Amino acid sequence: MLESRAGSLALVGGSWALDFANTAAGRGTATPVEHLPSPGSLVAWAAHAGVLDATSKRQAEAAVSADAAAARKLLRGARQLRGAIYAVGAAIARGEAPQESDLRILKAFAERTLAAAALAPAVDGRFKFDFTHAPAEAALLGRLAWSAIDLLATVPPERIKQCPGHGCGWLFLDVSKNNSRRWCDMATCGNRTKATRFRQRH
């Protein structure tokens, strides 16, 4: 098995939720890529993406190491939430309405994890759901679920896009002034596609 790149995966989505959806690639192709093959890789990605700070990372690592069954359950839940976020984002990127079943999954994760969060003041004086002292599932999946909900509630749908690169399909938030971004990363998918087209022409 190839070593997971979870701790160094490119973060091109523009939000925790979309970067989380991008921890799988090649969906629908003959060579799908799973960047979260284990509970440990999930924690590594969450720390890399900034979802977990150093203290929360240590707590999550301890929880994963202490209970193998709970760790497997956490990974299953993470993949289920990821699948729902991806399906909702991809539908919006296509200009379609998301499936109610995917929205229900997202809502269920948000509801379940919210109970473990504190309502606390943020740095700017507003308030936020604080998962700092929550159990590993809520600390990790709660933050991701609420990131997705905040994205859906505050971002114009035309700004949520999907990379057309072959075997990619990653989601990203287009914050360009004229909403013209096309690729998840021009240096990879954009240039690769241009090179392929050049070879086909010549």
Side-chain angles (χ1 to χ4, degrees), residues 61-88:
E61 287 174 335
V64 164
S65 298
D67 190 333
R72 290 192 296 271
K73 180 181 178 183
L74 173 65
L75 183 60
R76 286 195 302 271
R79 289 177 175 174
Q80 183 185 28
L81 175 61
R82 181 185 66 182
I85 293 173
Y86 177 81
V88 169

Side-chain angles (χ1 to χ4, degrees), residues 45-102:
W45 174 85
H48 165 59
V51 179
L52 298 178
D53 60 19
T55 300
S56 297
K57 180 189 178 185
R58 287 193 296 270
Q59 293 171 342
E61 287 174 335
V64 164
S65 298
D67 190 333
R72 290 192 296 271
K73 180 181 178 183
L74 173 65
L75 183 60
R76 286 195 302 271
R79 289 177 175 174
Q80 183 185 28
L81 175 61
R82 181 185 66 182
I85 293 173
Y86 177 81
V88 169
I92 292 173
R94 294 192 302 268
E96 302 173 0
Q99 294 291 320
E100 285 294 330
S101 56
D102 295 314

Side-chain angles (χ1 to χ4, degrees), residues 10-187:
L11 303 173
V12 300
S15 77
W16 284 347
L18 298 185
D19 281 325
F20 182 49
N22 295 343
T23 57
R27 292 176 172 92
T29 71
T31 55
V33 179
E34 174 58 79
H35 293 294
L36 303 180
S38 66
S41 62
L42 171 63
V43 175
W45 174 85
H48 165 59
V51 179
L52 298 178
D53 60 19
T55 300
S56 297
K57 180 189 178 185
R58 287 193 296 270
Q59 293 171 342
E61 287 174 335
V64 164
S65 298
D67 190 333
R72 290 192 296 271
K73 180 181 178 183
L74 173 65
L75 183 60
R76 286 195 302 271
R79 289 177 175 174
Q80 183 185 28
L81 175 61
R82 181 185 66 182
I85 293 173
Y86 177 81
V88 169
I92 292 173
R94 294 192 302 268
E96 302 173 0
Q99 294 291 320
E100 285 294 330
S101 56
D102 295 314
L103 293 174
R104 283 196 297 270
I105 290 172
L106 181 53
K107 179 185 175 184
F109 273 94
E111 287 179 336
R112 187 166 72 245
T113 56
L114 181 59
L119 186 60
V123 177
D124 59 6
R126 292 181 290 182
F127 283 74
K128 65 175 183 177
F129 294 126
D130 185 357
F131 291 91
T132 303
H133 303 293
E137 180 188 29
L140 206 165
L141 303 188
R143 287 184 172 106
L144 292 169
W146 281 98
S147 171
I149 289 173
D150 182 65
L151 186 75
L152 296 176
T154 62
V155 172
E158 65 273 13
R159 291 284 179 173
I160 298 176
K161 296 185 177 181
Q162 185 171 28
C163 181
H166 177 70
C168 181
W170 276 11
L171 301 172
F172 60 89
L173 183 60
D174 186 352
V175 296
S176 64
K177 187 174 181 179
N178 58 355
N179 197 28
S180 60
R181 180 178 167 188
R182 185 180 180 193
W183 311 99
C184 67
D185 183 12
M186 186 63 199

